[in-house]
Amino acid sequence: MSSLLKPFSVREGPCERHAGNSGCLTTSLTPPTQCLGSRNAAAGLSPLPVAGYQAYGARRTLAAASIGGRKLTHPGKAILAGGIAGGIEICITFPTEYVKTQLQLDGRANPPRYRGIGDCVKLTVQDHGLRGLYRGLSSLLYGSIPKSAVRFGTFEVLSNPMRDATGRLDNTRSLLCGLGAGIAEAVVVVCPMETLKVKLIHDQCSLRPRYRGFFHGVSEIIKEQGVRGTYQGLTATVLKQGSNQAIRFYVMNSLRNWYKGDDPRREMHPVVTAIFGATAGAASVFGNTPLDVVKTRMQGLEAHRYKSTLDCAFQILKHEGPQAFYKGTVPRLGRVCLDVAIVFVIYEEVVKLLNNVWKTQ
């Protein structure tokens, strides 16, 4: 990486060795083909392969990005930083996730048990104590770390080749990279872990809970339903996570580009990153809460009532009305805004730290 970080010389590249020879053009705008092509032609040799010129140009572009703009993040650093950020975030925000899930599942009760967010918190603490708000944390914690690792790792893998010479990522491309990151995390991590989380929370709400803990619950679910039982609602999960990350990375990248303007090296204070992250989180909530409701229903203990994701959406609309698609929006809004703000801030700061101790090409 040290060779990429030094300032460019007018004699850098294929012409460096022969810079003193006549006829070798060494200005910064001269491609290596002009120098070596003329020398080879004079010697009766064939020109260099095109791949050599492309590799040289790629090195120049990557070096320019690391010098003149945002330093490209190595996928390994992204995976490590994402995992750390995800683990810290879920420990802070889980109670809001618990309340959101309870309210969405409560829609099946007749009459509903909870009158609202406050009533849900009150009854949970009354029945199970403060620890009750953290029931199911283990399943989400085990999933949150790899989820964030896969998300940010995939995003950097997809976005690094799409950045321009200054390291700037186009807003449209950030949307596509976010979509790819969301789909990857949905298939690899989110769907099985979310299914387990919903089933464990739903089981704890029943009069006679069957599962004694996370690992017992996992073993029983797999024993009864097989691995397929942990992939209920895959379509809804892919749609939710894909749209989630597409919206979040698009909004975050758009705000970052607006903030930096014509100076790609302008540093973003953690408070600014948090504000932008919360804004991106809010946009994703209003954009895909209906998908989140359908996903939750498809992963609950009564998922067998629905033939498919579309049938689940139709049944909700038929029996509960369109407003049911936005149940749990307020607690989800609070959690997601805090979630995304925390994750982006911790991720950016950990990456900065890793750049100082982990030197990569």
Side-chain angles (χ1 to χ4, degrees):
M1 192 64 183
S2 59
S3 61
L4 296 179
L5 294 177
K6 66 181 181 179
F8 286 118
S9 166
V10 295
R11 294 184 178 184
E12 183 179 345
C15 296
E16 179 179 6
R17 187 177 302 173
H18 306 287
N21 297 338
S22 59
C24 181
L25 302 177
T26 59
T27 62
S28 60
L29 298 179
T30 303
T33 55
Q34 192 166 348
C35 168
L36 294 182
S38 61
R39 290 181 56 81
N40 289 347
L45 301 175
S46 59
L48 286 175
V50 174
Y53 309 144
Q54 293 175 338
Y56 175 70
R59 289 196 301 271
R60 290 290 297 267
T61 299
L62 288 173
S66 64
I67 294 173
R70 179 184 184 272
K71 185 176 180 180
L72 299 180
T73 302
H74 188 277
K77 295 178 182 178
I79 291 173
L80 181 57
I84 293 173
I88 296 175
E89 170 272 322
I90 197 60
C91 290
I92 297 174
T93 63
F94 182 79
T96 58
E97 173 69 14
Y98 177 86
V99 172
K100 180 215 73 170
T101 302
Q102 288 281 43
L103 291 176
Q104 290 179 347
L105 294 175
D106 193 47
R108 299 300 306 163
N110 188 18
R113 182 184 180 192
Y114 305 117
R115 296 191 297 271
I117 300 172
D119 187 53
C120 179
V121 173
K122 177 183 176 181
L123 290 178
T124 300
V125 174
Q126 180 178 310
D127 295 340
H128 305 283
L130 288 175
R131 292 182 60 184
L133 295 174
Y134 281 89
R135 289 185 300 169
L137 171 63
S138 56
S139 63
L140 214 58
L141 182 62
Y142 299 147
S144 182
I145 294 175
K147 176 179 73 173
S148 293
V150 170
R151 176 196 309 161
F152 283 101
T154 302
F155 182 81
E156 295 298 345
V157 167
L158 296 176
S159 66
N160 281 348
M162 295 186 179
R163 297 182 184 276
D164 61 19
T166 66
R168 185 186 181 95
L169 181 64
D170 178 78
N171 293 337
T172 302
R173 292 179 178 180
S174 70
L175 181 74
L176 297 176
C177 293
L179 178 64
I183 292 175
E185 71 174 13
V187 175
V188 176
V189 181
V190 176
C191 188
M193 297 310 295
E194 284 282 297
T195 301
L196 294 173
K197 179 206 71 173
V198 172
K199 288 183 183 296
L200 289 174
I201 292 178
H202 204 170
D203 177 67
Q204 290 298 316
C205 296
S206 62
L207 295 177
R208 295 181 179 179
R210 299 174 51 206
Y211 309 135
R212 296 190 297 270
F214 174 75
F215 292 106
H216 178 255
V218 171
S219 63
E220 288 297 313
I221 292 171
I222 293 180
K223 184 186 299 183
E224 296 174 2
Q225 305 174 24
V227 176
R228 185 178 180 181
T230 65
Y231 271 89
Q232 291 177 329
L234 177 61
T235 301
T237 304
V238 168
L239 291 173
K240 179 209 168 186
Q241 294 302 123
S243 59
N244 242 348
Q245 303 311 324
I247 294 172
R248 291 177 189 177
F249 278 107
Y250 173 80
V251 173
M252 188 69 187
N253 192 71
S254 299
L255 293 173
R256 179 186 287 115
N257 288 341
W258 166 78
Y259 180 81
K260 294 190 174 184
D262 296 329
D263 183 9
R265 289 176 294 183
R266 183 181 182 185
E267 290 290 333
M268 284 177 55
H269 191 277
V271 173
V272 176
T273 302
I275 294 173
F276 288 174
T279 303
S284 68
V285 168
F286 290 111
N288 75 352
T289 289
L291 290 173
D292 186 54
V293 172
V294 173
K295 176 195 72 68
T296 301
R297 296 288 181 87
M298 287 294 294
Q299 293 172 335
L301 296 179
E302 297 182 353
H304 62 277
R305 299 168 61 97
Y306 309 115
K307 299 177 182 178
S308 64
T309 300
L310 288 178
D311 179 61
C312 178
F314 176 76
Q315 294 294 336
I316 294 173
L317 180 64
K318 178 180 179 181
H319 298 293
E320 302 173 49
Q323 68 275 8
F325 287 110
Y326 280 89
K327 282 187 176 182
T329 298
V330 175
R332 184 179 180 228
L333 182 64
R335 176 193 178 275
V336 169
C337 288
L338 187 60
D339 166 355
V340 181
I342 291 173
V343 166
F344 272 112
V345 169
I346 296 177
Y347 174 77
E348 295 289 346
E349 295 306 308
V350 173
V351 166
K352 291 178 184 177
L353 177 63
L354 291 176
N355 285 337
N356 293 329
V357 299
W358 181 2
K359 304 300 180 182
T360 53
Q361 289 283 329

